[in-house]
C-alpha cells in the first residue's frame, strides 16, 4: 500500500485528480469505479477542470458507482444518482449508457444486485476504483462484519453511518437504512485502487486499516492484500499512523519515472 500524505485535502484531491486524468489520457476507454460522499467532491471538481483544460475526450469511459440507497427515488436530492449527476456526470457530459449506479428503486433487490455484478463482469474489470472510508472502516457500504468474499448485495447501515449521511434528508426517519453496495470481493477485483480520507474523524479508521490486523471488523483492512492501492490523506487523517515518517520519505524519494502518473 502506498500512503501519500499531502499538505491538505485540496492538494491530496489535486494529486489524485491528476492521477485519474492521466489514466484517462493513456486509456480513453478506462473503466472507472466511483465513490460518493463528501471526500471525493474536490477530486471530481479538479478532474472536470483538468479534462476541460486539456480538452480530453471522455466519450469512451465507463463508470460504476459503489452503492445506492434502497427505496430512495433516483431524483431525490440525497440519492447517489443525484450526487453523481450534479458533481461529475453532467459536467463531463457522460451519456446514460456510460455510467452505472445500482437501482435503489428496483422491485427485486437480489435480482438487481446480480444484474449489477453481471454488468461489471461484462464491461469490466474496473481498472481504477476510487474509494472513501467510513469512520467505522467501511468501504462502499460494507459495514464491519462484512464478508471479505462478498459481492454486490443489500446491506443495512449502522446508526453511525446513517447519522454521517443525514445531511440531505429532511428527518432522521427519512435517512435510509438499506443500501445496495458492491461487495468487498467486487472492490478487490479492481485492478487498482485509490482511497482518499480527510479529517481527524477518519484518523482511527485510517490507522486501523493501514497498520492494524486484517479483520472483517475493519473492512478496509482487506486492502492490505491488494497489490495496487494508493491512499491519499491529509495530515489530520494521517495523525495516528505509526510509520508516517517512512511513508513521507518513500514519496519524497520516488524516482522521477514513478512520478509521471501525477504529471499535471
Ligand atoms: P464521506 O464518506 O466521504 O462522506 O466521509 C465516506 C464513506 O462513507 O465511505
Amino acid at each position: 500500500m502506498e500512503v501519500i500524505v499531502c499538505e491538505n485535502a485540496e492538494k491530496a484531491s489535486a494529486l489524485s485528480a491528476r492521477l485519474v486524468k492521466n489514466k484517462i489520457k493513456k486509456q480513453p476507454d478506462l473503466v472507472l469505479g466511483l465513490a460518493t460522499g463528501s471526500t471525493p467532491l474536490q477530486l471530481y471538481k479538479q478532474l472536470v477542470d483538468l479534462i476541460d483544460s486539456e480538452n480530453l475526450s471522455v466519450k469512451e469511459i465507463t463508470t460504476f458507482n459503489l452503492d445506492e440507497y434502497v427505496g430512495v427515488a433516483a431524483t431525490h436530492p440525497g440519492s447517489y444518482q443525484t450526487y453523481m449527476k450534479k458533481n461529475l456526470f453532467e459536467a463531463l457530459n457522460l451519456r446514460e449508457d456510460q455510467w452505472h449506479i445500482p437501482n435503489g428503486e428496483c422491485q427485486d433487490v437480489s435480482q438487481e444486485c446480480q444484474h449489477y455484478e453481471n454488468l461489471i463482469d461484462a464491461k469490466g474489470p474496473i481498472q481504477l476504483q476510487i474509494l472513501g472510508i467510513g469512520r467505522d472502516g467501511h468501504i462502499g457500504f460494507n459495514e464491519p462484519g462484512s464478508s471479505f468474499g462478498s459481492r454486490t448485495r443489500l446491506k443495512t447501515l449502522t446508526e453511525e453511518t446513517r447519522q454521517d449521511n443525514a445531511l440531505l434528508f429532511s428527518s432522521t426517519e427519512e435517512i435510509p437504512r438499506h443500501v445496495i453496495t458492491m461487495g468487498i470481493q467486487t472492490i478487490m477485483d479492481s485492478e487498482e485502487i485509490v482511497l482518499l480520507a480527510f479529517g481527524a474523524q477518519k484518523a482511527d479508521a485510517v490507522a486501523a486499516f493501514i497498520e492494524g490486523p486484517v479483520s472483517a471488523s475493519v473492512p478496509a483492512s482487506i486492502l492490505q492484500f491488494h497489490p495496487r492501492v494508493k491512499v491519499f490523506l491529509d495530515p489530520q487523517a494521517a495523525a495516528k499512523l505509526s510509520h508516517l515518517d517512512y511513508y513521507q520519505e518513500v514519496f519524497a524519494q520516488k524516482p522521477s519515472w514513478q512520478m509521471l502518473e501525477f504529471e499535471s
Side-chain angles (χ1 to χ4, degrees):
M1 211 180 301
E2 193 177 344
V3 181
I4 301 166
V5 185
C6 297
E7 214 175 298
N8 52 44
E10 202 180 331
K11 293 212 163 130
S13 302
L15 201 61
S16 53
R18 295 212 305 250
L19 182 126
V20 179
K21 180 267 296 179
N22 286 329
K23 285 245 176 281
I24 296 174
K25 197 166 171 178
K26 219 166 134 183
Q27 198 182 333
D29 62 351
L30 187 75
V31 182
L32 184 59
L34 298 171
T36 48
S38 54
T39 308
L41 282 172
Q42 276 292 322
L43 157 62
Y44 293 150
K45 195 170 170 320
Q46 309 230 27
L47 181 62
V48 168
D49 290 349
L50 287 169
I51 285 171
D52 278 354
S53 66
E54 292 196 28
N55 213 2
L56 285 183
S57 168
V58 289
K59 285 190 170 66
E60 290 173 56
I61 68 166
T62 299
T63 72
F64 283 97
N65 266 78
L66 286 167
D67 40 34
E68 180 58 287
Y69 295 119
V70 170
V72 173
T75 51
H76 186 286
S79 82
Y80 286 145
Q81 191 172 138
T82 302
Y83 170 107
M84 287 312 305
K85 284 182 172 163
K86 182 168 154 226
N87 295 302
L88 193 68
F89 297 165
E90 283 171 4
L92 292 183
N93 270 318
L94 294 194
R95 300 178 314 275
E96 293 239 347
D97 64 307
Q98 283 183 278
W99 54 262
H100 306 85
I101 303 179
N103 177 7
E105 295 180 277
C106 60
Q107 293 300 314
D108 183 334
V109 172
S110 327
Q111 202 175 48
E112 171 61 17
C113 294
Q114 189 56 55
H115 172 64
Y116 203 64
E117 283 285 327
N118 293 346
L119 277 174
I120 297 174
D121 261 358
K123 302 189 179 189
I126 294 171
Q127 288 157 318
L128 178 65
Q129 175 67 56
I130 296 166
L131 294 178
I133 182 169
R135 287 190 292 148
D136 59 4
H138 70 220
I139 46 175
F141 273 130
N142 294 283
E143 298 284 33
S146 291
S147 162
F148 285 159
S150 54
R151 297 216 159 261
T152 304
R153 71 212 182 293
L154 180 80
K155 283 298 284 183
T156 305
L157 298 180
T158 64
E159 203 42 43
E160 179 182 88
T161 302
R162 283 186 76 227
Q163 294 313 322
D164 286 347
N165 294 352
L167 194 65
L168 294 166
F169 297 94
S170 56
S171 67
T172 308
E173 242 342 273
E174 207 204 350
I175 310 166
R177 288 193 160 72
H178 295 107
V179 291
I180 292 175
T181 179
M182 275 187 205
I184 295 187
Q185 188 63 57
T186 321
I187 294 171
M188 287 293 283
D189 284 349
S190 346
E191 289 177 358
E192 185 173 1
I193 292 176
V194 162
L195 185 149
L196 291 87
F198 305 137
Q201 72 282 9
K202 299 289 173 73
D204 285 322
V206 164
F209 97 85
I210 296 174
E211 295 179 344
V214 174
S215 159
S217 299
V218 182
S221 63
I222 191 67
L223 299 177
Q224 292 177 28
F225 282 113
H226 195 291
R228 293 182 72 197
V229 179
K230 286 189 176 64
V231 183
F232 291 85
L233 304 172
D234 67 0
Q236 291 75 22
K240 295 194 176 170
L241 289 168
S242 307
H243 305 296
L244 189 54
D245 291 349
Y246 175 66
Y247 306 137
Q248 286 179 313
E249 179 69 8
V250 170
F251 192 67
Q253 300 300 333
K254 245 167 130 54
S256 55
W257 61 268
Q258 281 193 354
M259 290 303 286
L260 290 178
E261 62 185 346
F262 299 112
E263 234 177 14
S264 55

